[in-house]
Amino acid sequence: MGEVYKAEQRSPRRSVAVKVVRGERPSPSAIARFALEIEALGRLRHPNIAQIHGSGTFDRDGAETPYVVLEWIEGAAPLDAYVASARLDRDARLRLFLDVADAVRHAHARGVVHRDLKPANILVGADGVP
């Protein structure tokens, strides 16, 4: 749904992820879904869910294009790739699973349901935290 870029925020100075709705001329429905995603993220505060820092729009060739600024997760890798490369034992895999399950529980408790939850959409940082 979006393209993610690493950027440097000026104040406070930090690395951030900037997600931009995909496509040169995104459809009104794509823009509406992106706006819903931003609203949903704004309701979530959990250590295993990337935090939103802000959002807005910019002019892309005459079209207002939405973006969202998120916490940058250093060394992020998809869950399945992380598990394979880290060679986690059963207990470590279960701890990771419990962290992810708690984040999903948190989202569900706030009325947010991820419609495409899969290992590729769950990132694990270099520190091993999903």
Side-chain angles (χ1 to χ4, degrees):
M1 169 170 203
E3 299 167 325
V4 179
Y5 303 93
K6 183 177 183 182
E8 187 72 25
Q9 183 175 337
R10 290 183 186 154
S11 181
R13 190 162 188 81
R14 60 184 168 186
S15 294
V16 294
V18 179
K19 184 175 181 179
V20 179
V21 71
R22 186 174 289 148
E24 289 188 30
R25 295 271 184 197
S27 69
S29 64
I31 291 172
R33 283 192 314 276
F34 196 77
L36 286 173
E37 178 182 336
I38 292 168
E39 288 300 316
L41 277 170
R43 293 196 306 266
L44 305 178
R45 296 282 179 268
H46 189 277
N48 301 110
I49 298 175
Q51 296 300 294
I52 185 172
H53 295 314
S55 65
T57 61
F58 68 98
D59 183 287
R60 182 193 284 169
D61 299 323
E64 285 296 304
T65 303
Y67 67 88
V68 61
V69 180
L70 299 159
E71 171 184 9
W72 176 257
I73 308 301
E74 194 62 47
L79 177 66
D80 50 354
Y82 173 79
V83 168
S85 69
R87 297 190 175 139
L88 301 179
D89 64 20
R90 182 194 59 188
D91 288 347
R93 287 176 188 231
L94 287 172
R95 281 190 298 276
L96 197 60
F97 175 79
L98 290 173
D99 286 343
V100 171
D102 190 57
V104 172
R105 178 211 49 83
H106 175 80
H108 287 178
R110 282 147 189 82
V112 176
V113 176
H114 194 299
R115 297 181 345 177
D116 192 23
L117 194 58
K118 58 188 176 189
N121 289 339
I122 300 169
L123 299 178
V124 181
D127 58 1
V129 176

